[in-house]
Amino acid sequence: MKKALPLLLIMVLVLGILTGCGTQTAKQATDPTDQTNKVNSAQTNYPLTIKDDSGTEVSIPAKPERIICILPSATETLFAIGAGNNVIAVTKYDNNPVNVQKKVEYVFQDTLNPNIEQIVKLKPDLIILGEISPTTTAAIRNLKIPVIVSNPQDLANVYTTIKEFGKITDTQASAAKVINSMQNEERAIEKKVALVKDTDRPKVWIEVDPTLYTAGSGTFMDELVSKAGGINIAANVKGWVQYSSEKVMAANPQVILYTYGEYNVNAKQTIMKRPGWQDINAVKNNRVVELNSDLVTEPGPRIIDGMESIAKALYPSLFQ
């Protein structure tokens, strides 16, 4: 991730909370363990109409051949399900698959306000956005090009998004295989974690930014920590929010997970030297662990790898 990404991430996530409250009802949330049987490999019939995460019905007249992805998790998903050859533009934050920026025609530098003139020049037949400002989204929709807003906030909707992208790009069989692989990995992690007694599960502080932004309930990171066998100390608040140092100290987490070490090499030392934090169990026991930001903040096919990395941080002896 580039140095500016944590601030961008917070802006996007907060915008998602402010402008997209309740958008997840646009997709029917289902038990992810049931998804495999529901994903079929039927050929897509066009025109296709779907409802995106903003609650907007989008009509796709034909199989998309030129797709602009202004959302790294969408790029990752399209390549994973075999539709990568149709991706013509990504963002400067895209890094999966490796060298993806060299595989496309254009790389957008601004993901919150992408250059609309450049979008027109690229002549796309589908645009995929994250949950950004309604004004910017409306301006792009006014181009009369199909626009999909994607903002899955839990694992069930990550699976649903992969399934829908498979349907949109007529790669349903490949999408089903990706979902099946992810679900198998998820179940394997949960099977190991199930060996731990509820009373032995550690309290966890998730730090996505040095100004103490964290993931509360209703976020996929909260769900990842829970499924990995941890107890999120910020589960009493909803969404992506800024916490206080005093609240963290009062909760006394046994494990601290942070996601911005790639751009801040001194992050761990800074966390451990904060005033008053020396008495936190996680600091006293040196259980301050860096997570790969891409794996735990991008709701795409590697999100289960993120879940495993959290489980390993919480229970290293179970994942040797």
Side-chain angles (χ1 to χ4, degrees):
M1 287 290 180
K2 302 296 186 292
K3 191 168 185 178
L5 183 53
L7 177 58
L8 172 67
L9 173 67
I10 291 167
M11 292 174 66
V12 172
L13 293 174
V14 171
L15 275 170
I17 295 166
L18 295 178
T19 65
C21 291
T23 58
Q24 288 308 303
T25 59
K27 291 182 180 178
Q28 191 71 28
T30 55
D31 183 347
T33 59
D34 293 335
Q35 287 288 324
T36 302
N37 293 330
K38 294 181 180 180
V39 176
N40 61 67
S41 57
Q43 189 174 30
T44 301
N45 294 317
Y46 301 95
L48 172 69
T49 300
I50 69 163
K51 183 177 288 187
D52 72 6
D53 281 338
S54 71
T56 302
E57 287 196 347
V58 182
S59 178
I60 301 172
K63 179 179 177 179
E65 301 291 343
R66 294 180 61 80
I67 304 172
I68 290 178
C69 274
I70 309 181
L71 182 65
S73 60
T75 301
E76 178 185 328
T77 299
L78 291 176
F79 274 88
I81 65 177
N85 288 339
N86 300 118
V87 177
I88 60 169
V90 297
T91 78
K92 67 178 181 179
Y93 299 113
D94 284 79
N95 56 21
N96 190 272
V98 176
N99 295 323
V100 65
Q101 295 182 28
K102 297 180 180 179
K103 301 176 187 290
V104 297
E105 298 175 22
Y106 189 81
V107 177
F108 285 90
Q109 301 300 305
D110 189 341
T111 59
L112 296 180
N113 294 286
N115 188 315
I116 292 182
E117 291 184 1
Q118 186 60 51
I119 291 176
V120 174
K121 288 180 182 179
L122 287 167
K123 298 181 179 179
D125 46 26
L126 178 65
I127 302 166
I128 301 177
L129 303 175
E131 189 82 62
I132 57 177
S133 78
T135 301
T136 302
T137 301
I140 296 174
R141 288 196 193 278
N142 285 339
L143 298 176
K144 305 305 179 184
I145 300 166
V147 173
I148 298 292
V149 172
S150 179
N151 185 35
Q153 287 295 311
D154 57 40
L155 286 179
N157 278 297
V158 170
Y159 291 131
T160 300
T161 296
I162 296 171
K163 177 183 176 182
E164 287 191 349
F165 281 7
K167 190 171 185 179
I168 289 167
T169 59
D170 198 17
T171 55
Q172 296 190 59
S174 296
K177 289 179 181 179
V178 169
I179 293 171
N180 186 58
S181 177
M182 292 172 66
Q183 290 175 336
N184 287 339
E185 184 180 357
E186 180 186 350
R187 284 189 285 266
I189 295 167
E190 290 185 308
K191 185 176 180 180
K192 288 185 178 181
V193 171
L195 299 173
V196 181
K197 296 179 181 178
D198 288 346
T199 53
D200 293 334
R201 299 197 173 202
K203 293 185 291 182
V204 180
W205 163 245
I206 309 163
E207 188 165 307
V208 300
D209 181 87
T211 62
L212 303 188
Y213 268 90
T214 192
S217 63
T219 66
F220 51 82
M221 282 191 67
D222 173 70
E223 183 179 14
L224 292 181
V225 167
S226 178
K227 284 181 173 288
I231 301 170
N232 179 12
I233 66 168
N236 61 321
V237 296
K238 186 172 179 59
W240 305 86
V241 296
Q242 190 172 30
Y243 225 56
S244 72
S245 181
E246 291 75 18
K247 287 183 178 179
V248 178
M249 289 188 287
N252 193 20
Q254 291 144 296
V255 180
I256 294 174
L257 306 175
Y258 66 97
T259 64
Y260 54 92
E262 187 171 340
Y263 86 96
N264 186 338
V265 295
N266 297 315
K268 181 174 180 177
Q269 292 85 345
T270 300
I271 290 170
M272 297 184 74
K273 291 180 180 179
R274 284 181 183 141
W277 284 43
Q278 289 75 26
D279 294 327
I280 292 176
N281 282 335
V283 175
K284 288 194 292 187
N285 297 317
N286 194 28
R287 298 196 69 185
V288 180
V289 183
E290 177 186 353
L291 299 177
N292 183 318
S293 178
D294 289 353
L295 299 184
V296 297
T297 64
E298 295 181 5
R302 293 183 298 164
I303 196 73
I304 304 301
D305 295 334
M307 176 178 163
E308 183 177 32
S309 71
I310 293 172
K312 286 180 177 178
L314 303 185
Y315 307 108
S317 61
L318 292 179
F319 292 86
Q320 291 179 344

